[in-house]
Every structure is written in structure tokens, then in C-alpha cells.
Amino acid sequence: MTKTRFSHAACDHASTKAARAKCRKEMRGEAVASTVTAPKPVAVTPTKKKDPRKVAAAPVVAVETAPESAPTADAEKVEKPAAAGPVEITPDTWRDHKDKAASVYINGVAEPFAAQCITGWSIKFLQFTDSEGKRQRIPASTVERVTV
């Protein structure tokens, strides 16, 4: 019944559209029930995926330390890092140094501006807060370099 055409000539129901539809539905049900002997599939609920943002904390490992009174040979070998020179800030890295004091060097100006913090750097402008707390906005084309 599901794939073949069916004639209602042998049926005893009324010749209305609704009656023919009901008859086809019943015939399909009987045809499907007689051909299918396999049990109905059981609905399987999908497993819940773990949220990658919620990462389990790493286990805490106890580390033994030497007493402070006993000097070790490794402590004598440790070198102090050399004092780092000024770090140059670019339009790509200004966000890394956003809350740090910086020096803004301008083309043609001998003394740099002392900036409390850089607040923005676009293609057109460099924005910063000066040492007095005023917001300054200068054309980016006039900036020679910015250092921390």
C-alpha cells in the first residue's frame, strides 16, 4: 500500500475526500504493520558534552622545600635578570601596555609627552591620558615612537 496506487472501488466507505484519506491511512498502517516485524527502536538520549570553558582544576601537588637556613648550591648559581630597556609599543601591541605609563615621541618635538596610560590607537589617532589627567588625541602620522 505504501508505494503502489490504490483504488477505492472495492471499499464501502462514503466517496468523500475525508473518507478516502482515512481509508488510505488505515491501509498504510496495516501494510506497514504486516511488513515490519522488528521491534521499535528505543529513543536514545544524547550524552551531554562537556563545556570546554569549564576545565577541571589541576590537582595540587605538594613540593618539598629546603629550609631557609641551609644554603644550596643552586641558589648561588641563580643570576638576576638584566634590567630591561624601554619597550617599544606599536599599534598592534598597545593593548598589552594599556595601563602603564609611557613616553610618546612626536616627529619634530624634542621632548616626549609623558602619558599616564594609552587609551586608544587607530589608523588615524593615538589617544592617551597625559600626566595632568587630560585626554589627548594626536594624529597617528605624527607619532615617531611610543615606549614604556
Side-chain angles (χ1 to χ4, degrees):
M1 170 62 198
T2 57
K3 298 286 183 181
T4 60
R5 292 198 172 258
F6 180 74
S7 172
H8 294 280
C11 296
D12 58 348
H13 58 74
S15 62
T16 62
K17 189 174 181 181
R20 287 192 301 267
K22 184 177 180 184
C23 178
R24 282 192 303 272
K25 186 176 178 183
E26 290 171 359
M27 291 293 218
R28 270 192 222 110
E30 290 173 9
V32 171
S34 65
T35 59
V36 178
T37 57
K40 290 184 178 180
V42 178
V44 178
T45 57
T47 59
K48 198 172 197 181
K49 292 184 179 181
K50 292 183 180 181
D51 192 358
R53 295 175 288 177
K54 296 179 181 178
V55 178
V60 178
V61 179
V63 177
E64 293 183 26
T65 58
E68 292 180 19
S69 61
T72 60
D74 293 335
E76 295 171 4
K77 293 180 182 178
V78 175
E79 295 179 17
K80 293 183 180 179
V87 177
E88 189 157 338
I89 302 172
T90 64
D92 298 327
T93 62
W94 72 269
R95 285 185 180 88
D96 298 336
H97 308 284
K98 190 173 183 177
D99 297 327
K100 297 178 184 174
S103 298
V104 180
Y105 294 89
I106 308 279
N107 292 331
V109 178
E111 299 251 345
F113 284 107
Q116 285 181 345
C117 64
I118 298 173
T119 57
W121 197 336
S122 67
I123 294 172
K124 293 183 179 182
F125 296 104
L126 170 66
Q127 299 174 2
F128 61 93
T129 306
D130 63 6
S131 58
E132 298 172 359
K134 286 179 62 177
R135 287 189 139 182
Q136 298 288 331
R137 185 169 128 171
I138 58 174
S141 61
T142 62
V143 176
E144 183 178 331
R145 69 178 194 262
V146 179
T147 58
V148 175

